Amino acid sequence: MSPTTATQTNAQAIRRGRLLRPLRIAGGRTWHTPGNPNGRVAQLLQPGAAVAVGLLFLVPILWMLITSVASDADVFTFPPRLWPAWDFSNYAKAWGKSPWLTYFGNTVLIAGSVVLLVLITSLMAGFAFALMRFRGKGVLFLLVMSAMMVPQTVLLIPNFIIAQKLGWYDTYLIQIVPWGASVFGIFLLRQFFLTLPKELFEAAEMDGAGPLRMLFSVAAPLAAPSLVLVALNSFMGSWNAFVWPYIMTKSDAVRPIEVGLQAFYGTEGTDWTGLCAAVSFTTLPIIALFLFLQKYFVTGVYGTQGSVRG
Amino acid sequence: MAYLLILPALLIFLVFTIGPTVFTFVVSTFKWNWLNPDQNKFVGLANYQMLVDGSQDPPFAATLLTSGYFVGAMVVGGTAISLAMAMLLRKAGRINVAARTAVFLAHVTPLVATSIVWVWIFNPRFGLANLVMSWLGIPNIDWLGNSRFAMPAVIIYSLWHEIGFTTVIFLGGLTTISTELAEAARLDGCNAWQEFWNVTFPQLRPVVIFVIVVSSVASLQAFTQFFMMTGGGPGFDTATLGFQLYQQAFVFRKTGYAAALAVVLFGITVALSILQLRTTRSLGRNA
């Protein structure tokens, strides 16, 4: 499925009056695809193979959970004991050894701020690029899109120097502001706004609405499904971020959860029950989020695919 | 008005992305002093000279080879496996949807977190990987500490983490291809294998190219799993370009040389991105 078809599907859905659910439709369609019946043997083997593949991918997660409730003696035996010992004290032990609440708080603060900034900047820039006419629009759009080509690793050295020059080293700011605009977000919203009928805005203009009111009271509510995708994309990026906050900060007071987890791994490297407990309680929130918002995650994959189109 | 709407995003990109990219080129022509910027010395292309003559440890050519090993395995393995899995799970139904969820679940887990789990799985004495090996009658392997097995171990983890993403892309691609052609082929007596290679795969080719490009860009920049699982070792056996860039700049403090590595990485990424733009354009045309 190409991004063009995705936007076309959206446009069709909108024309059919299903304005608020185009992305759900796209997600649902790809997640539950009717396929072709294969040969009889394949039909018998297929469910077994599917179950095997699914379980194989779950093994590391299950092993993490099992080790997190294993007793220390069980961990250091070979062959390993595969059945859980239900020793939940590992969680208390791991929780007491690091300032996890601070890490969680920092992650929520940083991810929340990044999401808020990204939503605002994407709405504004996406609106301007889709619906307004101004000089240098093409060049500016190209400039924004080109930002996507730069790998994060390339940016580490210069931004480390810039962070120190700005006095932003080891602060929340350096973890928030540079990620406050997203090419993916701008592109996705521009694409969405392009699908809206021009009459909508002409009518608003007749009513005397300026561009700002048009953006925030007419366009933004309609863009809700795209905004969810953009928010989710930024939130996940922020939560999973490691190398940037690792380089740009040094104190626990501002460090996010994954950097904290790495530090815990550094000091407790052989306490496997404690480590697996820590990995579990830092990762289960993300897994829960995924299970609740699965369709949006999947649609997001096609959104990323779309964001690479010029 | 339009400019005001664009300004915040543009400012962020200029200060933290586009400006720094240009700045990287500048830094790459200096012997950069970490502690005292006043002692920065312009050295022209000397840092690039070091890339070519391989005078640094590890030599640049070795880093490229290591990266090539990882990128090659990720692209070939990732594309083949995820295409096979998309074919396996393409039909609707509870079991398939659950299996897709399990596969994609691995992809959403944080790299730091699941790298730790896999270090435990690859533990040389008590690990799950060696349990599987013992079933096959193979003696314990020091996965992450052995120069022959360290890279394959990181590749296995990375495949586990990335395949969910590419499988979903293939599943999306499969929804757009014609079912009539497949039916016609079956009426003509094609078996499943022939049908795949002669009917399905040709229609899927743009998606395959897209997946190849996307996974080469992503694996070229891979860093966190190397940092967590091997630290680039043993020796420099798993020190890929992305990892070397970090290590040279922030561990060895050879900032200028690391910036030259960054320029190389940037160049390869831009080339791949342009290729990607072209393929997605043609993908749009075909769809």
Side-chain angles (χ1 to χ4, degrees):
Chain A
M1 152 152 155
S2 87
T4 326
T5 21
T7 35
Q8 276 163 2
T9 324
N10 286 349
Q12 284 158 6
I14 288 158
R15 256 177 261 128
R16 284 190 222 115
R18 282 190 238 156
L19 213 49
L20 286 174
R21 292 213 250 109
L23 293 165
R24 274 173 176 278
I25 291 162
R29 202 173 64 104
T30 46
W31 209 233
H32 303 276
T33 319
N36 328 317
N38 287 330
R40 219 167 270 161
V41 184
Q43 252 170 357
L44 284 174
L45 289 177
Q46 194 278 340
V51 170
V53 164
L55 284 180
L56 188 68
F57 273 77
L58 284 182
V59 160
I61 310 266
L62 293 174
W63 190 232
M64 160 189 96
L65 293 171
I66 290 169
T67 308
S68 78
V69 292
S71 73
D72 278 328
D74 284 340
V75 164
F76 297 108
T77 51
F78 192 86
R81 185 185 142 136
L82 297 176
W83 197 246
W86 309 115
D87 183 351
F88 285 93
S89 68
N90 300 320
Y91 282 81
K93 180 182 67 180
W95 185 264
K97 281 186 179 166
S98 267
W100 296 109
L101 268 185
T102 311
Y103 295 145
F104 268 113
N106 290 339
T107 292
V108 170
L109 178 78
I110 293 163
S113 313
V114 168
V115 167
L116 201 68
L117 272 179
V118 163
L119 288 182
I120 295 171
T121 53
S122 306
L123 265 177
M124 297 201 313
F127 184 82
F129 280 127
L131 300 166
M132 295 172 91
R133 300 173 124 208
F134 52 94
R135 265 168 161 257
K137 183 169 160 179
V139 176
L140 288 174
F141 188 64
L142 212 66
L143 196 67
V144 168
M145 293 311 287
S146 70
M148 195 190 51
M149 285 196 203
V150 188
Q152 195 196 148
T153 28
V154 171
L155 296 173
L156 284 175
I157 297 168
N159 274 300
F160 183 74
I161 297 169
I162 290 169
Q164 283 176 324
K165 284 249 152 66
L166 288 173
W168 284 13
Y169 176 70
D170 203 25
T171 61
Y172 289 126
L173 280 177
I174 193 65
Q175 301 178 72
I176 296 169
V177 180
W179 304 102
S182 141
V183 180
F184 169 70
I186 293 171
F187 184 82
L188 202 72
L189 281 159
R190 171 182 172 267
Q191 294 304 90
F192 176 76
F193 288 142
L194 283 175
T195 64
L196 291 180
K198 288 263 186 307
E199 296 79 27
L200 196 67
F201 296 97
E202 281 161 14
E205 209 169 5
M206 298 273 273
D207 290 344
L212 270 188
R213 251 197 68 201
M214 237 187 269
L215 166 56
F216 286 105
S217 41
V218 180
L222 293 178
S226 308
L227 290 176
V228 173
L229 278 193
V230 174
L232 198 62
N233 186 281
S234 286
F235 182 83
M236 290 301 290
S238 218
W239 186 292
N240 293 350
F242 172 67
V243 63
W244 185 277
Y246 175 74
I247 302 253
M248 301 294 175
T249 63
K250 62 168 192 279
S251 41
D252 283 339
V254 297
R255 285 191 146 179
I257 193 81
E258 293 305 312
V259 180
L261 184 60
Q262 185 272 332
F264 184 75
Y265 174 61
T267 53
E268 307 289 328
T270 53
D271 172 17
W272 287 107
T273 53
L275 265 167
C276 283
V279 172
S280 301
F281 64 64
T282 56
T283 308
L284 288 178
I286 281 292
I287 292 182
L289 186 77
F290 165 68
L291 293 177
F292 279 118
L293 299 177
Q294 236 186 95
K295 276 187 184 166
Y296 284 100
F297 275 86
V298 173
T299 318
V301 172
Y302 302 116
T304 340
Q305 204 177 346
S307 77
V308 297
R309 298 171 53 76
Chain B
M1 190 67 212
Y3 297 109
L4 277 181
L5 289 178
I6 297 172
L7 190 67
L10 203 62
L11 211 61
I12 291 174
F13 287 136
L14 282 177
V15 175
F16 296 106
T17 310
I18 297 165
T21 309
V22 178
F23 190 39
T24 306
F25 281 83
V26 177
V27 176
S28 76
T29 59
F30 276 84
K31 188 175 194 323
W32 199 268
N33 192 299
W34 195 259
L35 297 171
N36 186 358
D38 294 336
Q39 296 192 358
N40 290 345
K41 216 173 78 197
F42 179 76
V43 293
L45 295 176
N47 288 319
Y48 294 93
Q49 179 65 37
M50 285 190 239
L51 292 182
V52 179
D53 65 23
S55 60
Q56 296 296 301
D57 197 30
F60 177 61
T63 303
L64 276 187
L65 271 179
T66 312
S67 276
Y69 181 2
F70 181 69
V71 174
M74 287 302 291
V75 169
V76 174
T79 310
I81 297 172
S82 50
L83 181 54
M85 288 202 330
M87 288 303 292
L88 175 71
L89 305 175
R90 88 187 271 202
K91 273 190 274 179
R94 245 175 231 190
I95 294 176
N96 283 0
V97 170
R100 292 178 201 175
T101 304
V103 173
F104 197 70
L105 177 68
H107 179 66
V108 301
T109 61
L111 282 165
V112 172
T114 40
S115 287
I116 295 175
V117 175
W118 278 82
V119 171
W120 171 227
I121 289 174
F122 285 126
N123 185 289
R125 290 177 62 199
F126 312 110
L128 203 57
N130 276 339
L131 177 68
V132 176
M133 291 297 120
S134 74
W135 291 339
L136 302 172
I138 297 167
N140 276 6
I141 295 171
D142 181 6
W143 290 92
L144 299 168
N146 180 313
S147 57
R148 254 178 69 204
F149 294 106
M151 186 60 99
V154 179
I155 289 168
I156 290 171
Y157 165 70
S158 306
L159 285 174
W160 174 78
H161 192 270
E162 299 307 321
I163 272 175
F165 181 77
T166 40
T167 301
V168 169
I169 290 183
F170 277 129
L171 282 167
L174 284 171
T175 63
T176 64
I177 69 172
S178 142
T179 47
E180 284 138 39
L181 272 179
E183 267 156 36
R186 237 169 290 132
L187 283 178
D188 287 345
C190 265
N191 63 32
W193 189 249
Q194 288 168 328
E195 183 197 318
F196 174 76
W197 282 113
N198 298 320
V199 181
T200 311
F201 190 78
Q203 291 184 81
L204 218 51
R205 186 164 294 151
V207 187
V208 175
I209 296 171
F210 176 83
V211 165
I212 288 174
V213 175
V214 171
S215 39
S216 26
V217 171
S219 44
L220 192 64
Q221 291 158 24
F223 167 80
T224 305
Q225 59 267 57
F226 291 103
F227 180 86
M228 296 298 295
M229 295 176 76
T230 64
F236 289 107
D237 288 334
T238 56
T240 55
L241 196 49
F243 186 81
Q244 264 300 292
L245 203 162
Y246 155 81
Q247 200 176 33
Q248 294 290 341
F250 297 98
V251 182
F252 302 154
R253 302 279 157 104
K254 291 180 191 159
T255 314
Y257 177 68
L261 286 174
V263 169
V264 173
L265 180 62
F266 176 67
I268 302 175
T269 311
V270 168
L272 286 169
S273 301
I274 289 168
L275 189 72
Q276 176 172 324
L277 277 178
R278 288 200 174 169
T279 53
T280 41
R281 285 232 175 90
S282 65
L283 197 117
R285 269 202 297 276
N286 291 352

